[in-house]
Amino acid sequence: MEKIKTVVSIGGKEYTICGTDSAEYIHRVALKVNAKLDEMKKANPALNNIQLAMLTSLNLADDYTKAHDELVATKKELERVKKELERQAPGNNRTVPYRK
């Protein structure tokens, strides 16, 4: 795959990102990092840039981990529901009592 170079501004500094993702995607990611960095800076104005970067990284990792855990749980629930629906589907030789 062709490498794409994208220049983004994070925390007021420019970085060149090289990868296979589109420039649009890299800019979206940089916007999320900047938003979280600004949030951390407002909540913790006494921290230096390295401390802010670390706190921002931890918060983004926390957001990612929670979203990932929710996705895994949702996939498990979806599989459970699919199996239940398959079990209840007509033609699976299941006898259903009929009452009039």
Side-chain angles (χ1 to χ4, degrees), residues 72-89:
V72 168
T74 301
K75 284 182 176 181
K76 285 180 182 176
E77 178 65 9
L78 178 61
E79 284 304 312
R80 187 194 66 74
V81 169
K82 280 182 182 179
K83 287 178 183 176
E84 181 63 23
L85 289 173
E86 287 171 2
R87 190 181 67 75
Q88 294 178 8

Side-chain angles (χ1 to χ4, degrees), residues 13 15-17 53 81 94:
K13 295 185 179 187
Y15 297 91
T16 300
I17 309 297
V81 169
R94 181 174 169 225

Side-chain angles (χ1 to χ4, degrees), residues 2 16 22 31 54 63 71 76 91 94 99:
E2 183 180 333
T16 300
S22 71
L31 284 172
M54 186 58 64
D63 292 348
L71 176 62
K76 285 180 182 176
R94 181 174 169 225
R99 294 190 185 157

Side-chain angles (χ1 to χ4, degrees), residues 44-88:
N44 305 281
L47 296 182
N48 65 39
N49 287 343
I50 292 172
Q51 291 169 321
L52 278 171
M54 186 58 64
L55 184 59
T56 300
S57 297
L58 286 168
N59 274 267
L60 289 170
D62 177 56
D63 292 348
Y64 168 82
T65 302
K66 286 176 180 171
H68 182 267
D69 290 350
E70 186 177 334
L71 176 62
V72 168
T74 301
K75 284 182 176 181
K76 285 180 182 176
E77 178 65 9
L78 178 61
E79 284 304 312
R80 187 194 66 74
V81 169
K82 280 182 182 179
K83 287 178 183 176
E84 181 63 23
L85 289 173
E86 287 171 2
R87 190 181 67 75
Q88 294 178 8

